[in-house]
Amino acid sequence: MRRTDDKKVTVLNKVISAALVIVIIIFFMWVSIKAIDLKLDFTTLLEYKQRLWQGFCMTIIISIGSLLLSLLIGSITAIGQNSRILTISYLCKIYIQIIRGTPLLVQIYFFYYIIGTAWGVDNRYIAGIIILSIFEGAYISEIIRGGLESIDSQQYEISKAIGLTPRKTFRFVTFPILMSRVLPALTGQFASIIKDSSLLSVIALIELTQTIQEISAVNFRMFENYIFVGALYFILTFAVSMLSRMFERRYKHEYRAKKYL
């Protein structure tokens, strides 16, 4: 009974603390807006709600497509770095160094206007997803590689000793441990995919940022427009964060359960 009461008190403290933080942030924003005598009017966005919805949906589609493709690229290059074939190993390592060492904006221009034109990739949406996936895949590769290298070799020896096949070893040992260790870093990378998709507006890809830029050119309400679009991006990244925490708890629980079997 006492444990239940303690749990309720803990939950109540968390709720109160979260509410206090929200109040502080709102108060700070209100004081800042008042200090420059800025009058915000978000009603001007109502007539563009259809375009905003389409841009919002397109950002989600691009982000999901890039997320899946970058995971595939990252997984392949993470394994490829340790390949016994030096050509493959060097190719993966050079790819990671080049992508991580150059700005995304430069890569968008280079891949779209040079590589894309050379190979006949005319669809801006497909090109945008590929470019974003190549960029994010380099970072995901390092996250996965670090996670794989952190797994104690003793785990594999135990798996082999109890007769687990390589497939079952991956399913019951490698994958749960890997997920519990890389999920926090992957969450941050997935949030970056959502935010980085805004840079695709430079190739006139009609997603959320490009949509708001076009609206700003008409209604001249830049503060309201960009505060609103910032809130939409926050909703997406916050949803990713919450979903990640759910999976993180699940895989940690699975790992602990299997560890003591």
Side-chain angles (χ1 to χ4, degrees):
M1 187 69 179
R2 185 176 178 180
R3 184 178 294 177
T4 304
D5 292 338
D6 290 342
K7 191 175 181 180
K8 287 181 180 178
V9 171
T10 302
V11 171
L12 183 61
N13 285 336
K14 287 181 179 180
V15 171
I16 293 172
S17 298
L20 184 60
V21 169
I22 292 171
V23 169
I24 291 171
I25 292 172
I26 292 173
F27 178 75
F28 174 77
M29 292 298 296
W30 180 80
V31 170
S32 300
I33 291 169
K34 281 291 183 182
I36 60 174
D37 196 27
L38 177 65
K39 292 180 173 58
L40 298 176
D41 181 14
F42 292 96
T43 58
T44 56
L45 288 167
L46 290 175
E47 59 182 298
Y48 305 103
K49 59 185 178 182
Q50 187 63 33
R51 290 177 64 184
L52 285 167
W53 174 248
Q54 290 173 350
F56 184 73
C57 291
M58 186 51 63
T59 292
I60 294 174
I61 292 169
I62 291 169
S63 298
I64 292 174
S66 300
L67 185 153
L68 296 174
L69 186 55
S70 61
L71 264 177
L72 178 62
I73 293 171
S75 301
I76 292 172
T77 51
I79 296 169
Q81 287 185 78
N82 296 321
S83 174
R84 293 181 180 179
I85 303 173
L86 288 179
T87 304
I88 295 176
S89 178
Y90 288 163
L91 181 63
C92 293
K93 289 176 180 178
I94 290 170
Y95 151 72
I96 290 169
Q97 291 300 321
I98 291 174
I99 296 300
R100 293 184 61 172
T102 54
L104 175 56
L105 194 60
V106 172
Q107 293 175 33
I108 291 172
Y109 282 118
F110 178 78
F111 283 114
Y112 182 73
Y113 290 108
I114 298 178
I115 304 298
T117 302
W119 291 87
V121 182
D122 299 324
N123 189 303
R124 295 178 188 273
Y125 298 98
I126 293 174
I129 290 173
I130 293 172
I131 293 167
L132 197 56
S133 300
I134 290 172
F135 178 77
E136 302 293 345
Y139 291 88
I140 290 174
S141 175
E142 289 297 274
I143 292 170
I144 294 174
R145 184 185 63 82
L148 287 171
E149 290 181 354
S150 71
I151 300 175
D152 192 348
S153 60
Q154 207 172 26
Q155 299 282 348
Y156 298 114
E157 293 171 7
I158 294 170
S159 302
K160 191 175 180 180
I162 63 177
L164 289 182
T165 63
R167 185 176 179 180
K168 287 185 175 179
T169 299
F170 176 79
R171 180 182 174 186
F172 296 114
V173 179
T174 306
F175 188 72
I177 298 174
L178 180 65
M179 290 302 290
S180 67
R181 293 182 181 179
V182 304
L183 258 178
L186 283 178
T187 301
Q189 207 57 49
F190 293 160
S192 291
I193 290 175
I194 295 170
K195 292 182 290 183
D196 290 343
S197 67
S198 63
L199 290 175
L200 296 175
S201 60
V202 299
I203 57 172
L205 198 155
I206 310 298
E207 39 71 67
L208 193 53
T209 300
Q210 178 66 18
T211 301
I212 212 69
Q213 286 175 352
E214 293 175 357
I215 292 172
S216 298
V218 177
N219 69 359
F220 303 105
R221 308 291 298 189
M222 287 190 62
F223 290 109
E224 291 89 335
N225 294 346
Y226 282 97
I227 289 173
F228 181 74
V229 80
L232 292 179
Y233 277 111
F234 174 77
I235 289 169
L236 289 175
T237 55
F238 185 74
V240 168
S241 178
M242 291 297 100
L243 191 62
S244 170
R245 288 188 181 182
M246 183 183 73
F247 282 115
E248 195 176 335
R249 285 194 296 268
R250 174 187 170 187
Y251 283 112
K252 278 186 177 178
H253 175 73
E254 284 186 4
Y255 170 59
R256 285 170 185 158
K258 288 168 184 173
K259 185 177 179 181
Y260 294 106
L261 285 177

